[in-house]
Amino acid sequence: MDQKITIDDVAKRAGVSKGLVSLALNDRPGVSAEAKQRILRVADELGWHPDPAARGLSTRRAYALGLIVRRSPHVIEVDPFFAAFMAGAEAVLAEHGQVLVLSVVADVDAELQAYRRLSAERRVDGFFVTDLLENDHRIDALGDIGKPAVVLGRPDNTHGMPVISRDYSAGISQLVAHLVDLGHRRIAHVTGNVAMQHARIRLDRFLAECDARGMEPIVAEADFSPEQGAVATQALLDGRNPPTAIIYGNDPMAIAGMAVAHERGLSLPADLSIAGMDGSDIGGWVYPTLTTLDNDPAGWGRAAAETLVRLIEDGAAPDVTLPDAELIRRASTAAPAQPGERRTPRGGGDTQQHATTDTKET
Amino acid sequence: MDQKITIDDVAKRAGVSKGLVSLALNDRPGVSAEAKQRILRVADELGWHPDPAARGLSTRRAYALGLIVRRSPHVIEVDPFFAAFMAGAEAVLAEHGQVLVLSVVADVDAELQAYRRLSAERRVDGFFVTDLLENDHRIDALGDIGKPAVVLGRPDNTHGMPVISRDYSAGISQLVAHLVDLGHRRIAHVTGNVAMQHARIRLDRFLAECDARGMEPIVAEADFSPEQGAVATQALLDGRNPPTAIIYGNDPMAIAGMAVAHERGLSLPADLSIAGMDGSDIGGWVYPTLTTLDNDPAGWGRAAAETLVRLIEDGAAPDVTLPDAELIRRASTAAPAQPGERRTPRGGGDTQQHATTDTKET
DNA sequence: TTGAAAGCGCTACCAT
DNA sequence: ATGGTAGCGCTTTCAA
């Protein structure tokens, strides 16, 4: 149980020196094929693993990568992104003998502190930077800190850090087009926290899409929390000329918005079409099932981890562009009711499409 | 940026030897008050942090604790527990100079492998064991592995590992009593994955509560996923004598169950009362707002982290019992409609209670 | 109370 | 291609 096996044991048993074992392990040149094979076999027999502390002491590496999640307690529980992102990232790290070190903080100050701590204590070799802000302080701070980092966002202003990005704009175009095709002309957008770049990009694209169609955009700012999603929805529906469709910056807000509509006795989607983003599994299991844009958080995680590992090992890594977001059409969007038909009692009507029968636009 | 400051720098500047600095840092006896003070001041001035790799090489510690989350990709996204649990745990670990190492796996085999890897590679000093199974293999495996661990579960069969537990039974009693008080006699339970101890405990208590009241229990097995929650709900409602109230093993299943009911044109809660468990934030923002039992995942995280740190440092730590789960009464539970009244059109009726106005039973 | 020195397990360099 | 050896930064003896 207590691993007392060291590189010396392996060296002795294989009849070579420690140095050679080390070279063989890190498959470096200068080891004969047969020696290498023998060494690796012996290591395996003995169940030997190099001690990362000892390695790190020589190489000044931690063999660990850091993810700092900044979320308010009320958003984190409901966040459809991080758990899956971590799963994707961690799977890749494990293949590379690395480990994921996680920190969860409530605000930007605590986040900067966490970067500094993990870095000063030499706990990690690099960072994943998520939820990029517009003019993000962290980019500069990480520059000072001097640790490699990959950024999830748009390839701007990242001071040469590799960027993982996905074109969400294309999905928003599809979504708006989908609603317009159904006959909507008064479409609203409930934003996420627009201090975040991805929320801002979504808003900008929404505005552009409205503009291109000569529609007056309706916008309510929120922050990705269901609570704010509900508040924004109330405000929109209380407006003098309420929208016939609402696009939310994420699925939890959309679900909260649906609840508000239901509570007012509106029939969905006849009286109001609703769409989310960052498509989460739960969206396929609410009533009506939620039209949304997919996001594949595990894919983000894998790409980010591969890039960060490569950045650390090779000193550089190319940006990665993930496939465009795709529209997932479900039952929460439909043609708007004619003015006279509003507030119809519910029941009957369309059968709803379940998640297992999602229609993905390609 | 590149931390080249070592214990030697501190020793030199403070005019003492490395050894003394080390003693002072770990506040061990044998250092004069003034020397200690001076050393710590100098260390602070220099911004020195001991290198965990170097420390670990001497002490055979990793100064890191491991959490391995076993969840299928479809459950993890929606899981209201882990993100908040990690946040709670990590906050405590940071105070103790420790770090949280995270792994996400899909099944039990991969989980055991992850324990072995993290242990063999000496990445962590101990583990958090969650989702305890009945006769959990991991307990034995961890015994072999020989790393300290704390278990989230019921204090049985844990071979002397400290246990963090919360009495969920009390909450279930309250919940059943609440429904019975409203007039329900046909109450169903949609279970979580009953291989997990907490799902089993909930089921057992539900059965006991029914038994105590002479009610025939109705049970549908599921696995915590919204999909299974929906399937189970269909089956229950298609039964020859459908329940008037359904208690789900977690909130995502309850939300999926609500959707099934809505889709059938049932009016909630008049035609069917619905309750969840593991109360998540989102439950306060669906329609109707979801009656549930709270769970305070961050509290679990803090308690578990404190216990594990103590176990490692002192060699032993007492079990912790968290406060009983409490009923959160919201709008999804109400008196059952009289037979004749079923399938009333919705709208009007009760105003729903929002999350901000939850009623907590004490 | 303090200093000096010997490891901890590995990598990396200099020989051969 | 291989062996020997000097560190990496800390903790922990053992002397003084």
Side-chain angles (χ1 to χ4, degrees):
Chain A
M1 73 177 239
D2 217 290
Q3 303 288 20
K4 300 224 153 263
I5 307 152
T6 75
I7 197 173
D8 275 311
D9 302 321
V10 177
K12 234 162 268 169
R13 184 93 103 91
V16 296
S17 72
K18 300 168 28 168
L20 250 205
V21 175
S22 176
L23 292 183
L25 180 77
N26 300 295
D27 52 27
R28 290 259 242 286
V31 190
S32 68
E34 58 221 314
K36 182 161 170 178
Q37 204 187 348
R38 182 159 32 97
I39 289 168
L40 294 180
R41 187 172 42 74
V42 170
D44 194 54
E45 281 170 18
L46 263 37
W48 172 75
H49 296 272
D51 184 328
R55 290 181 88 186
L57 199 51
S58 293
T59 58
R60 301 189 117 314
R61 302 245 280 111
Y63 303 98
L65 268 18
L67 172 65
I68 298 166
V69 178
R70 168 176 36 80
R71 287 288 141 109
S72 73
H74 284 282
V75 178
I76 186 106
E77 273 193 18
V78 134
D79 190 294
F81 187 82
F82 274 104
F85 175 83
M86 292 185 283
E90 201 269 335
V92 171
L93 297 190
E95 288 169 12
H96 291 266
Q98 310 260 91
V99 118
L100 212 215
V101 166
L102 186 84
S103 185
V104 183
V105 297
D107 56 54
V108 184
D109 288 343
E111 189 183 4
L112 284 175
Q113 242 181 290
Y115 283 116
R116 299 224 170 78
R117 172 189 170 223
L118 256 28
S119 173
E121 295 183 356
R122 273 144 287 167
R123 292 313 205 118
V124 300
D125 300 322
F127 291 105
F128 296 99
V129 179
T130 63
D131 292 326
L132 192 60
L133 308 177
E134 295 289 334
N135 296 323
D136 200 311
H137 285 65
R138 294 175 301 171
I139 302 296
D140 296 327
L142 280 167
D144 296 349
I145 286 171
K147 291 274 185 213
V150 303
V151 174
L152 276 57
R154 191 171 49 186
D156 298 346
N157 307 320
T158 52
H159 295 320
M161 296 175 187
V163 176
I164 315 297
S165 59
R166 141 168 281 152
D167 188 353
Y168 226 76
S169 296
I172 292 168
S173 298
Q174 279 185 57
L175 186 48
V176 173
H178 166 62
L179 292 169
V180 168
D181 288 350
L182 289 169
H184 294 274
R185 298 291 297 170
R186 294 196 50 78
I187 303 175
H189 177 41
V190 173
T191 73
N193 178 351
V194 291
M196 295 187 193
Q197 192 188 70
H198 53 268
R200 166 65 62 182
I201 290 173
R202 291 164 189 197
L203 171 57
D204 288 348
R205 184 55 172 247
F206 171 74
L207 295 174
E209 292 291 329
C210 289
D211 200 48
R213 290 175 171 81
M215 301 189 311
E216 186 71 23
I218 309 171
V219 173
E221 266 198 40
D223 67 353
F224 290 122
S225 73
E227 176 166 5
Q228 290 281 305
V231 169
T233 305
Q234 301 277 16
L236 288 171
L237 297 180
D238 285 337
R240 53 203 154 75
N241 197 0
T244 61
I246 307 180
I247 299 172
Y248 294 81
N250 70 356
D251 282 6
M253 290 198 297
I255 291 171
M258 285 179 149
V260 167
H262 278 137
E263 192 183 352
R264 290 175 171 231
L266 297 182
S267 177
L268 303 184
D271 293 335
L272 181 67
S273 281
I274 284 189
M277 292 190 198
D278 278 351
S280 58
D281 207 63
I282 190 78
W285 305 99
V286 293
Y287 179 83
T289 55
L290 184 62
T291 292
T292 188
L293 299 177
D294 72 349
N295 199 24
D296 186 22
W300 280 96
R302 284 190 299 272
E306 260 148 20
T307 301
L308 187 48
V309 166
R310 188 150 163 204
L311 174 62
I312 288 167
E313 283 173 2
D314 303 355
D319 290 355
V320 175
T321 304
L322 298 170
D324 288 1
E326 283 176 17
L327 179 61
I328 300 176
R329 294 177 52 181
R330 297 208 192 97
S332 66
T333 45
Q338 299 311 310
E341 303 179 39
R342 290 203 69 170
R343 306 212 167 220
T344 48
R346 39 200 304 283
D350 304 344
T351 296
Q352 83 172 349
Q353 269 179 313
H354 265 301
T356 41
T357 59
D358 292 344
T359 307
K360 243 193 199 183
E361 311 257 302
T362 44
Chain B
M1 72 178 237
D2 217 287
Q3 301 289 18
K4 300 224 151 269
I5 307 152
T6 77
I7 197 173
D8 275 310
D9 301 322
V10 177
K12 235 163 265 170
R13 183 92 104 92
V16 297
S17 71
K18 300 166 32 167
L20 251 204
V21 174
S22 176
L23 293 183
L25 180 77
N26 300 295
D27 53 26
R28 291 262 240 286
V31 189
S32 68
E34 57 222 315
K36 181 162 172 177
Q37 203 186 349
R38 184 158 32 96
I39 290 166
L40 294 180
R41 188 171 42 72
V42 170
D44 193 54
E45 282 169 17
L46 264 37
W48 171 75
H49 296 271
D51 184 329
R55 291 180 86 185
L57 198 51
S58 294
T59 58
R60 303 190 116 304
R61 300 246 280 111
Y63 302 98
L65 269 18
L67 172 65
I68 297 166
V69 178
R70 167 176 37 80
R71 286 289 141 109
S72 74
H74 284 282
V75 179
I76 186 102
E77 274 195 16
V78 133
D79 190 292
F81 187 80
F82 274 104
F85 175 82
M86 291 185 283
E90 201 269 336
V92 170
L93 298 190
E95 287 169 14
H96 291 267
Q98 311 261 90
V99 118
L100 212 214
V101 166
L102 186 84
S103 185
V104 183
V105 297
D107 56 54
V108 184
D109 288 342
E111 188 182 4
L112 284 175
Q113 240 180 292
Y115 282 116
R116 299 223 171 79
R117 171 187 171 225
L118 256 27
S119 174
E121 296 183 355
R122 272 142 287 166
R123 292 315 203 115
V124 301
D125 300 323
F127 290 105
F128 296 98
V129 179
T130 64
D131 292 326
L132 193 60
L133 308 178
E134 295 290 332
N135 296 323
D136 200 312
H137 286 63
R138 295 175 300 169
I139 301 298
D140 296 326
L142 281 167
D144 296 348
I145 286 170
K147 291 274 184 213
V150 303
V151 175
L152 275 56
R154 191 173 47 187
D156 297 348
N157 307 323
T158 54
H159 295 321
M161 295 177 188
V163 177
I164 315 296
S165 59
R166 141 167 281 149
D167 188 351
Y168 226 77
S169 296
I172 291 168
S173 298
Q174 279 184 58
L175 186 48
V176 172
H178 166 61
L179 291 169
V180 168
D181 287 350
L182 288 170
H184 293 274
R185 298 292 296 169
R186 293 196 51 77
I187 303 176
H189 177 41
V190 174
T191 72
N193 177 350
V194 292
M196 294 186 193
Q197 192 188 70
H198 53 268
R200 167 66 59 184
I201 290 173
R202 290 165 190 197
L203 170 57
D204 288 347
R205 185 56 173 247
F206 171 75
L207 295 175
E209 292 291 328
C210 288
D211 200 49
R213 290 176 171 81
M215 301 189 311
E216 186 70 24
I218 308 171
V219 173
E221 265 198 42
D223 67 353
F224 289 123
S225 73
E227 176 166 5
Q228 289 282 306
V231 169
T233 306
Q234 302 277 18
L236 289 172
L237 296 181
D238 285 338
R240 54 203 152 73
N241 197 0
T244 61
I246 307 179
I247 299 173
Y248 293 81
N250 69 355
D251 282 6
M253 290 198 297
I255 290 171
M258 285 179 151
V260 167
H262 277 137
E263 192 183 353
R264 291 175 170 231
L266 297 183
S267 177
L268 304 183
D271 294 334
L272 180 67
S273 281
I274 283 189
M277 290 189 199
D278 279 352
S280 59
D281 207 63
I282 191 76
W285 305 99
V286 293
Y287 180 82
T289 56
L290 184 62
T291 291
T292 188
L293 299 177
D294 72 349
N295 199 23
D296 186 21
W300 280 96
R302 284 190 298 271
E306 259 148 21
T307 301
L308 187 48
V309 165
R310 189 151 161 201
L311 174 61
I312 287 166
E313 284 173 0
D314 303 356
D319 290 354
V320 175
T321 305
L322 298 171
D324 287 0
E326 283 176 15
L327 179 60
I328 301 178
R329 294 178 51 183
R330 297 208 191 98
S332 66
T333 45
Q338 298 311 309
E341 302 178 39
R342 289 201 72 170
R343 306 209 167 222
T344 49
R346 38 199 307 282
D350 302 345
T351 296
Q352 83 172 348
Q353 272 178 311
H354 265 301
T356 41
T357 60
D358 292 345
T359 308
K360 243 192 195 180
E361 312 257 300
T362 44

